[in-house]
Amino acid sequence: MEYFNKTFCLEVKGDFACFTRPEMKVERVSYDVITPSAARAVFESIFWKPAVRWRIRKIDVLRPVKWISVRRNELGVVMSNNGGIYIDDTDNQGGLKHRQQRASLLLRDVAYRLYADLEFIPPSDRTKGCNSLAAPSEEAWEKEMLRKDENPGKYYAMFERRARKGQCFNQPYLGCREFSCEFRYVEDLSKEPEPIDETRDLGFMLYDLDFKNPQNPSPAFFRAQMNSGIIDVPDWESEEVKK
């Protein structure tokens, strides 16, 4: 049976955002705009099931790009399963052992309109190694695989209902979890404001991670171009996406 994907639109906005460039090894420096992977995470925080996959199609930039430089305390270690981390531990010289002060170049006062296709995955094509924020449990996975008579209509309705009510599995955020954002389901584009009137080449930008090998996902990049405030995102299978 042939299925057709449906495109949904969300408006997101927040006081701060940081879509970190992977080439910056020490200090956090954000891309100029939201990345497709960060946009996907917003949609998945509202609705995700093993039966669906989000594909970002377009990004409208609604506010001019503004920057702010801040200095934040971060941890230089990762917590193990054996115990916690006491951040006030000191070394032999009396300095803090784990805490590190780093500068971050962030975006401020941001707003975007995100367009994404909700792609239905037939039961026979589903795999656990899909692009998602959380892998399903064994019990949930078996339950999904028993539903052989599914169709995408119910998933479209579930997302619309949740987005209209402002429901989410976890609070959507803009790059870093401390930069939470508001979201609004857009139904009538004719009543929405136009994107900013700005055109620029944004250079190579992180598209998403390829989860073919879940233990070691590899990054994929694309050449982002903003035309009159609109960024068209190529298909994942396109030659424009460098994996």
Side-chain angles (χ1 to χ4, degrees), residues 37 40 44 53 55 127-135 207-220 236 243:
S37 59
R40 171 180 60 80
E44 285 187 347
R53 179 189 299 118
R55 300 286 196 187
T127 61
K128 287 190 180 181
C130 55
N131 290 4
S132 62
L133 293 178
Y207 188 110
D208 212 321
L209 295 177
D210 189 347
F211 288 90
K212 285 182 180 177
N213 180 4
Q215 303 303 321
N216 187 26
S218 58
W236 175 255
K243 302 176 186 177

Side-chain angles (χ1 to χ4, degrees), residues 77-239:
V77 294
V78 178
M79 186 168 63
S80 66
N81 295 327
N82 299 327
I85 299 173
Y86 184 55
I87 62 173
D88 289 330
D89 275 348
T90 58
D91 54 24
N92 295 332
Q93 284 75 40
L96 293 173
K97 187 188 298 184
H98 302 308
R99 189 181 298 174
Q100 299 176 350
Q101 196 171 67
R102 296 183 178 179
S104 299
L105 187 59
L106 313 176
L107 298 169
R108 63 182 178 89
D109 192 24
V110 299
Y112 307 103
R113 200 157 47 231
L114 311 175
Y115 302 80
D117 288 352
L118 184 55
E119 181 180 318
F120 175 71
I121 309 171
S124 58
D125 296 338
R126 292 175 198 169
T127 61
K128 287 190 180 181
C130 55
N131 290 4
S132 62
L133 293 178
S137 65
E138 291 294 335
E139 183 181 353
W141 184 256
E142 290 174 4
K143 229 180 249 188
E144 289 290 334
M145 294 307 294
L146 289 173
R147 301 171 181 172
K148 301 296 183 183
D149 57 345
E150 288 183 310
N151 68 80
K154 72 170 186 178
Y155 295 109
Y156 299 159
M158 290 168 71
F159 173 77
E160 289 175 352
R161 182 173 63 251
R162 292 180 62 83
R164 286 194 185 104
K165 292 181 177 181
Q167 295 176 323
C168 53
F169 295 121
N170 57 274
Q171 182 64 38
Y173 56 91
L174 299 173
C176 297
R177 286 192 180 272
E178 58 263 44
F179 304 140
S180 60
C181 67
E182 303 174 21
F183 69 90
R184 178 175 64 87
Y185 181 50
V186 178
E187 299 186 66
D188 188 357
L189 288 172
S190 64
K191 298 180 181 178
E192 299 300 319
E194 293 293 323
I196 62 173
D197 185 17
E198 184 175 345
T199 298
R200 69 164 84 170
D201 184 354
L202 300 172
F204 278 98
M205 177 184 289
L206 178 69
Y207 188 110
D208 212 321
L209 295 177
D210 189 347
F211 288 90
K212 285 182 180 177
N213 180 4
Q215 303 303 321
N216 187 26
S218 58
F221 297 85
F222 77 109
R223 188 69 176 262
Q225 179 74 35
M226 181 166 65
N227 296 307
S228 300
I230 299 173
I231 303 168
D232 290 312
V233 180
D235 290 335
W236 175 255
E237 295 80 10
S238 170
E239 293 183 357

